[in-house]
């Protein structure tokens, strides 16, 4: 297998506000978009010819991935104008596809080992994985290594093997893909016509993001495997524990405690006297002022956080300016997302370019939209739509 | 203004030369050609783009060759005027970038001596001069030939049956790329990125003798050492990566360019340059530049006057060179993207002669201007391929902010806020890009007009000038930028329903005055498109259409407003079907006067 087709056109509506300006595949986990993990896994398995199907906010993919040179791969782009489904996305690359190729979802985080065996397989084939909660996914029934059928989000799962969205195909797939909208339907039709589709099970990493707080789980898992690397300037009197990565041109000032796994991007100013606790990712060009504690959180690029803040179990998107004594702590709460109300234990989910004045406290599970402005000493709960003004 | 390349090594020269020339088309593309030495010299040239020339050729065998892509100065674009040019015997071929001032005299002399010159170009005298002086030593003949030439003569010469090529540099840039038992020569770095990252920058008056495994640089007859540099730009920068045009790709790179540039400036322990005021220090400043860099300089005037509180004078380098006066007490800043622009180079030389301290802001490490200035501030924009400058303009603005901030005489709270807002710029610019579709819609409406005005006041006056420049250079619509208060002194006579006006409105002390002008413009029926900070009811009532730009301190508003106007120009040009990356009659780096 020499070619991979990566589907990166999808929006991820349940992940708003984080997907208002970027496709789901460009969500940042441990300072890298999910898509980059997919590309790096392919490159490590020797697959360097990559076709991206892009659509929703495709410029974000162009701007970050470019022509693939810095990732050691060769990327070409195909646009899916309307995001109708995975089979429809696949149909857009009929011209570009080679005789045999892999298909992967750009918004599922995988590692190189996940597909090492699968890249050798003879098409048509599906990569499956055993999960605890199969009803969220397409459940695959298998008989002697052959797929019998795939049932999307069944009420009751017959097995806990699910479809990872990683496939090996020949050009035969296009005839079936063009007749339906999603790839599992195309496979079911192929099986009905007597084609054999093999299944290979992996126990490698395969992670999906469905809700905003899933970003925290993925971030935690990926950071566990991160290697330490310290660039920039670390002043005397900074404590580094565990695995800590700090980017170029970043200054970490005296009295700061970095308790890994922690990743900090480039061009940041951290401290003095800041406490960054485990499972925290901080983007590029971020300022964190004295006496602030951040734990198990993801902070985007260009964020400024004032003095004396406590931020736990939270996602703060790029460009937010948070003044002094902001508090966001976790607690159990019910959060309404697209009509579902799951019970979760998280802090704040804050969209991009929000302006938060001094002494604001947010309740657990709060979702703050993009470009919101919150005046001083407010208590926020529930969900704020984009461009809200709280005063 | 042209691009020249050379190759000597083991591989077939033709595909390498054509590829390198393709990367240099931003320097000119009205005609092109290559000469390959195999058994004798074979020349192929025409008044076509590089790709067309390449398609018309079968593969030639030689592993030594030179190539040229042209921006016409002497003689119209045609096959006979295209380079390379040869001598009478057809054994010597030359490609040249520059202007030979005494070429009429040389041409007559050579004709009297029996040489036959076929073209109207100044370049053709060079191969004939080399022929004249050739007595068995190719290198010596080139050395003697260039002594006769007055003007700029950066060139590469190729001779049949020689295992070397000879390059000379005067006033236009030339670099040598070092390979593994092969060497390259080119006008600029992007041409070589596919092959090597090791380069030598030649200096004025250098003559380089380049063979497959050796480079010997001579000056005034004796060998000199020229340091080898490592290029940090990557091939990625020269690819379109999904976008239809380099210009749009480069517009989209701006948030990253700002972030990278800021990271570097902020982390540096020392300020970029010394602008200490008073007590024998700085009293005033002079900024010189051309084209888009001139507009950045004008913004720089408002930045430095507003923060450092000293008078700043901005002049066009091309005008200053003829009549301007500089005081030795003033500090001068010269801004040039390429670091090779002829007029900017001349003004740096002149300022130095008059004893001024010169700071240059440039995007090209190792460029000529950086070697003669007292201090160099580099913008980290990476190579810009599109002829219309976008990201390098914004990077120049960031450099100016960063030059001025450490010396600002504003109160500490204001300074803290400014530094914080500066860090927000990447996100604000990204928001403009995220709303590209709205700008594209307005552009479609504007594309049908043939005349347009841009207006702004205060720090956004230069933004209006730059917006108009972008529009005219890529969409060919006649556009003029004006200070809002000046429209009534003449241009009002041109307004009307067929002449739209783009107004840049800033929420600062200019606001009321600009509103007044907008009312006057509307009274003359011109369609009006306004750029405003978020939520402005007054403007929404007055203007025909409104583009809301993200809110930011007025000091930084030129950055976001410029990005809006870049996108507007791009989509107007796209709608009109213009060749956006290669507008007619234009070249990126103008190394001639």
């Amino acid at each position: 297998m020499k070619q991979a087709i990566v589907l990166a056109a999808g929006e991820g509506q349940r992940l708003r506000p984080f997907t208002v300006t970027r496709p789901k595949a460009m969500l940042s986990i441990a300072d890298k978009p999910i898509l980059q993990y997919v590309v790096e896994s392919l490159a490590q398995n020797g697959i360097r010819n990559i076709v991206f199907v892009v659509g929703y906010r495709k410029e974000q993919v162009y701007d970050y991935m470019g022509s693939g040179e810095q990732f050691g791969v060769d990327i070409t782009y195909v646009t899916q104008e309307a995001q109708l489904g995975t089979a429809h996305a696949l149909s857009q690359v009929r011209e570009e596809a080679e005789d045999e190729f892999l298909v992967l979802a750009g918004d599922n985080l995988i590692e190189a080992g996940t597909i090492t065996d699968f890249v050798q397989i003879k098409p048509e084939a599906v990569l499956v994985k055993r999960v605890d909660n199969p009803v969220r996914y397409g459940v695959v029934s298998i008989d002697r290594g052959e797929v019998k059928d795939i049932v999307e989000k069944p009420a009751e799962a017959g097995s806990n093997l699910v479809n990872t969205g990683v496939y090996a195909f020949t050009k035969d797939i296009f005839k079936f893909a063009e007749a339906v909208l999603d790839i599992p339907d195309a496979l079911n039709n192929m099986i009905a016509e007597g084609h054999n589709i093999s299944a290979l099970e992996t126990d490698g990493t395969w992670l999906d993001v469905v809700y905003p707080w899933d970003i925290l789980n993925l971030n935690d898992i990926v950071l566990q495997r991160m290697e330490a690397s310290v660039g920039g300037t670390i002043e005397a009197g900074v404590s580094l524990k565990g695995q800590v990565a700090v980017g170029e041109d970043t200054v970490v000032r005296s009295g700061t405690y970095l308790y890994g796994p922690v990743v900090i991007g480039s061009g940041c100013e951290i401290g003095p006297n800041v406490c960054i606790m485990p499972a925290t990712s901080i983007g590029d060009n971020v300022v964190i002022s004295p006496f602030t504690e951040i734990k198990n959180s993801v902070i985007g690029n260009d964020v400024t956080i004032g003095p004396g803040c406590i931020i736990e179990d939270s996602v703060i998107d790029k460009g937010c300016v948070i003044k002094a004594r902001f508090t966001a702590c976790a607690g159990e709460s019910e959060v309404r997302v697209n009509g579902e109300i799951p019970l979760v234990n998280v802090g704040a989910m804050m969209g991009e370019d929000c302006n938060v004045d001094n002494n604001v406290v947010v309740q657990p599970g709060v979702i703050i939209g993009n470009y919101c402005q919150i005046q001083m000493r407010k208590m926020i709960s529930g969900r704020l739509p984009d461009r809200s003004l709280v005063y | 203004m042209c691009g020249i390349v050379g190759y000597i090594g083991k591989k077939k020269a033709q595909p390498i030369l054509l590829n390198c020339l393709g990367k240099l088309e931003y320097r000119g593309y009205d005609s092109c050609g290559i000469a390959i030495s195999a058994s004798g010299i074979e020349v192929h040239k025409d008044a076509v783009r590089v790709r067309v020339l390449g398609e018309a050729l079968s593969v030639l065998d030689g592993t030594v060759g030179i190539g040229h892509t042209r921006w016409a100065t002497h003689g119209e674009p045609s096959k006979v005027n295209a380079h390379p040019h040869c001598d009478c015997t057809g054994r010597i071929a030359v490609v040249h970038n520059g202007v030979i001032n005494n070429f009429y005299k040389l041409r007559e002399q050579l004709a009297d001596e029996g040489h036959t010159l076929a073209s109207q170009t100044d370049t053709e005298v060079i191969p004939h001069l080399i022929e004249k002086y050739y007595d068995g030593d190719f290198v010596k003949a080139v050395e003697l030939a260039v002594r006769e030439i007055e003007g700029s003569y950066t060139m590469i010469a190729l001779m049949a049956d020689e295992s070397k090529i000879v390059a000379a540099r005067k006033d236009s840039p030339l670099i040598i790329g070092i390979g593994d038992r092969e060497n390259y020569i080119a006008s600029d770095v992007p041409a070589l990125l596919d092959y090597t990252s090791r380069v030598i920058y030649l200096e004025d008056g250098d003559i380089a003798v380049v063979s497959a495994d050796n480079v010997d640089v001579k000056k005034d007859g004796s060998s000199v050492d020229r340091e080898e540099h490592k290029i940090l730009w990557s091939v990625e920068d020269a690819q379109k990566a999904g976008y239809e045009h380099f210009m749009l790709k480069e517009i989209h790179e701006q948030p990253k360019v700002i972030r990278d540039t800021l990271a570097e400036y902020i982390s540096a322990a020392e300020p970029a340059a010394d602008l200490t005021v008073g007590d024998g220090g700085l009293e005033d400043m002079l900024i010189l530049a051309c084209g888009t860099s001139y507009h950045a300089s004008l913004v720089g005037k408002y930045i430095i006057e507003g923060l450092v509180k000293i008078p700043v004078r901005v002049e066009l380098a091309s005008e200053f060179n003829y009549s301007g006066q500089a005081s030795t007490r003033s500090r001068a800043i010269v801004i040039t993207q390429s670091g090779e622009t002829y007029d900017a180079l001349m003004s740096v030389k002149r300022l130095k002669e008059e004893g001024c301290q010169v700071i240059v802001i440039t995007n090209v490490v190792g460029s000529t201007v950086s070697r003669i200035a007292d201090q160099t501030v580099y913008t980290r924009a990476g190579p810009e391929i599109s002829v219309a400058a976008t990201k390098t303009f914004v990077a120049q603005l960031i450099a100016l902010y960063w030059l001025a901030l450490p010396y600002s005489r504003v109160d500490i709270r204001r300074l803290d806020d400014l530094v914080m807002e500066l860090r927000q710029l990447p996100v604000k610019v990204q928001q403009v890009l995220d709303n590209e579709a709205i700008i594209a819609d307005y552009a479609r409406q504007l594309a049908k007009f043939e005349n347009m005005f841009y207006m702004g006041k205060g720090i956004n006056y230069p933004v209006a000038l730059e917006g108009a420049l972008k529009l005219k250079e890529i969409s060919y619509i006649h556009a003029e930028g004006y200070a809002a208060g000046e429209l009534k002194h003449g241009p009002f006579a041109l307004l009307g329903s067929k002449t739209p006006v783009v107004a840049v409105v800033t929420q600062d002390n200019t606001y009321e005055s600009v509103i007044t002008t907008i009312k006057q413009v509307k009274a003359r029926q011109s369609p009006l498109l306004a750029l405003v900070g978020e939520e402005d009811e007054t403007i929404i009532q007055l203007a025909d259409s409104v583009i809301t730009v993200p809110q930011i301190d007025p000091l930084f508003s030129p950055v976001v407003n410029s990005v809006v106007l870049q996108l507007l120009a791009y989509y107007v040009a796209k709608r009109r079907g213009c060749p956006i990356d290669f507008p007619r009659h234009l070249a990126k780096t103008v190394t001639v006067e």
Side-chain angles (χ1 to χ4, degrees), chain A residues 117-295:
Chain A
D117 294 334
F118 195 70
V119 297
Q120 310 295 340
I121 206 166
K122 191 174 159 301
E124 269 58 29
V126 184
L127 184 71
V128 297
K129 183 168 167 71
R130 213 167 280 280
V131 298
D132 294 336
N133 184 15
V135 291
R136 266 167 75 167
Y137 305 102
V139 175
V140 184
S141 6
I142 294 169
D143 185 16
R144 276 161 294 184
E146 302 271 320
V147 177
K148 277 167 60 196
D149 67 355
I150 304 175
V151 186
E152 282 304 308
K153 300 186 180 71
E156 224 173 291
S159 85
N160 38 1
L161 281 176
V162 302
N163 174 11
T164 61
V166 179
Y167 310 98
F169 286 139
T170 64
K171 283 189 162 181
D172 291 346
I173 186 68
F174 289 111
K175 190 169 54 141
F176 295 91
E178 277 156 18
V180 294
L181 291 179
D182 283 302
I183 291 174
D185 297 333
L187 290 182
N188 285 334
N189 289 345
M190 280 183 100
I191 295 163
E193 284 198 15
H195 286 77
N196 290 337
I197 293 163
S198 52
L200 184 75
E201 189 182 333
T202 180
D203 55 6
T205 304
W206 174 77
L207 299 162
D208 193 15
V209 195
V210 180
Y211 301 108
W213 45 86
D214 291 338
I215 292 171
L216 296 175
N217 299 337
L218 265 65
N219 188 57
D220 184 16
I221 293 168
V222 172
L223 283 180
Q224 303 288 351
R225 297 164 206 181
M226 182 197 69
E227 283 176 24
S229 66
V230 175
T233 309
I234 310 290
E235 289 187 359
V238 172
S239 300
L240 300 171
K241 306 263 173 194
Q243 305 293 306
V244 174
V246 178
E248 295 294 311
D249 295 329
T250 285
V251 182
V252 183
R253 301 206 184 281
S254 188
T256 295
Y257 202 101
L258 303 179
Y259 199 131
V262 163
V263 56
I264 298 173
S266 56
C268 300
E269 250 185 279
I270 313 290
N273 293 315
V274 158
C275 204
I276 313 267
M277 302 300 281
T280 299
S281 297
I282 292 173
D284 297 335
N285 187 30
V286 171
V287 177
I288 300 178
S289 311
F291 313 116
T292 287
E293 185 226 40
I294 302 178
K295 182 173 148 192

Side-chain angles (χ1 to χ4, degrees), chain A residues 4-40:
Chain A
I5 289 155
V6 178
L7 310 182
E11 175 180 350
Q13 290 195 7
R14 282 177 293 185
L15 286 153
R16 287 179 189 172
F18 304 129
T19 51
V20 169
T21 57
R22 54 168 88 79
K24 185 178 166 191
M26 290 303 292
L27 285 172
S28 180
I29 304 294
D31 279 7
K32 289 199 274 190
I34 296 171
L35 192 55
Q36 187 178 344
Y37 293 94
V38 177
V39 167
E40 287 174 353

Side-chain angles (χ1 to χ4, degrees), chain B residues 5-247:
Chain B
V5 298
Y7 172 79
I8 184 161
K10 299 270 177 290
K11 299 187 200 123
K12 281 187 179 160
Q14 181 190 351
I16 295 173
L17 294 173
L18 290 171
N19 180 28
C20 292
L21 285 177
K23 304 275 166 58
L24 289 180
E25 278 196 309
Y26 73 89
R27 302 177 69 87
Y29 43 85
D30 55 38
S31 45
C32 62
I34 57 171
I36 307 256
S37 168
S39 45
I41 302 267
E42 212 172 322
V43 175
H44 295 274
K45 59 185 187 179
D46 206 346
V48 293
R49 294 284 293 267
V50 173
R51 188 178 49 81
V52 179
L53 182 81
E55 283 165 2
L57 287 182
S58 53
V59 179
L60 310 170
D61 270 338
T63 64
V64 184
I66 57 177
H68 188 272
T69 177
R70 180 165 185 252
W71 186 66
T73 54
H74 288 62
E76 58 174 15
S78 68
K79 184 165 181 167
V80 63
N81 285 340
H83 298 211
H85 290 287
C86 290
D87 68 332
C88 298
T89 63
R91 289 176 48 77
I92 300 168
V94 168
V95 290
H96 165 227
N97 175 22
V99 177
I100 300 175
N101 296 332
N102 61 336
F103 105 92
Y104 283 108
K105 204 181 94 204
L106 291 173
R107 202 182 151 92
E108 274 176 27
Q109 266 177 22
L110 286 165
D112 288 347
E113 289 164 21
H115 292 267
T116 317
L117 283 82
S119 78
Q120 300 155 290
T121 65
D122 51 350
T123 304
E124 204 184 352
V125 302
I126 307 177
H128 290 276
L129 282 172
I130 298 173
E131 180 193 3
K132 174 179 160 184
Y133 287 112
Y134 183 72
D135 62 358
D137 186 343
F138 178 36
V139 180
K140 197 170 139 219
V142 174
E143 283 174 352
L144 291 170
V146 298
R147 268 185 220 170
E148 300 269 326
I149 300 169
E150 290 165 21
S152 49
Y153 57 70
T154 295
M155 58 105 168
I156 311 174
L158 176 70
M159 186 163 187
D161 307 324
E162 287 281 350
S163 59
K164 52 183 170 279
I165 43 186
V166 182
R169 180 201 153 131
K170 175 80 195 306
D171 289 343
S172 307
L174 198 64
I175 58 170
I176 297 175
I178 311 294
D180 179 19
R181 273 170 292 168
E182 57 184 3
N183 288 306
Y184 305 82
I185 307 175
S187 295
D188 198 0
V189 170
L192 302 183
L193 289 175
D194 285 344
Y195 305 104
T196 180
S197 59
R198 298 163 57 203
V199 301
I200 293 172
Y201 295 94
L202 293 184
E203 295 189 6
D204 269 358
D206 284 357
I207 291 181
V209 182
V210 181
S211 56
D213 39 26
N214 190 40
V215 177
D216 181 20
V217 183
K218 296 173 174 216
K219 187 159 194 170
D220 303 327
S222 45
S223 289
V224 286
D225 255 347
R226 293 279 175 251
E227 201 184 332
E228 187 178 308
H229 293 262
K230 180 109 183 119
I231 298 299
L232 300 174
W233 292 355
S234 70
V235 180
E236 180 67 59
D237 293 313
Q239 312 243 6
K240 281 190 225 168
Y243 288 105
E244 194 179 341
H245 297 102
F246 280 113
M247 183 177 176

Side-chain angles (χ1 to χ4, degrees), chain A residues 295-332:
Chain A
K295 182 173 148 192
N296 188 37
S297 291
V298 174
I299 314 289
N301 294 337
D302 315 318
V303 170
T304 297
I305 298 174
C309 300
I310 300 172
I311 298 174
E312 295 181 355
D313 312 294
S314 297
V315 180
I316 311 287
D317 204 353
K318 62 183 178 185
C320 288
V321 175
I322 296 172
K323 296 275 176 66
R325 297 204 164 271
F326 171 76
T327 307
C329 295
E332 289 220 327

Side-chain angles (χ1 to χ4, degrees), chain A residues 21 57 59-60 62-63 66-69 77 249 267 269 284-285 287 301-302 304 318-319 321 352-353 371 387, chain B residues 234-236 239 241-243 252 259 262-264 266-267 420 423-424 426-428 430-431 434-436 534 551:
Chain A
T21 57
R57 296 282 180 192
E59 294 82 6
Q60 301 280 344
Y62 297 165
D63 293 345
S67 56
E69 192 218 356
Y77 292 93
D249 295 329
E269 250 185 279
D284 297 335
N285 187 30
V287 177
N301 294 337
D302 315 318
T304 297
K318 62 183 178 185
V321 175
E352 69 175 83
D353 200 15
Y371 327 114
R387 298 184 194 282
Chain B
S234 70
V235 180
E236 180 67 59
Q239 312 243 6
Y243 288 105
H252 273 263
R259 198 176 286 125
L262 277 179
E264 187 176 316
I266 291 177
S267 71
M420 195 186 79
R423 283 193 182 263
Q424 302 298 304
V427 168
K428 304 292 180 182
Q430 185 63 51
Q431 274 174 45
D434 290 343
N435 290 311
E436 199 171 339
E534 283 169 61
Q551 259 173 349

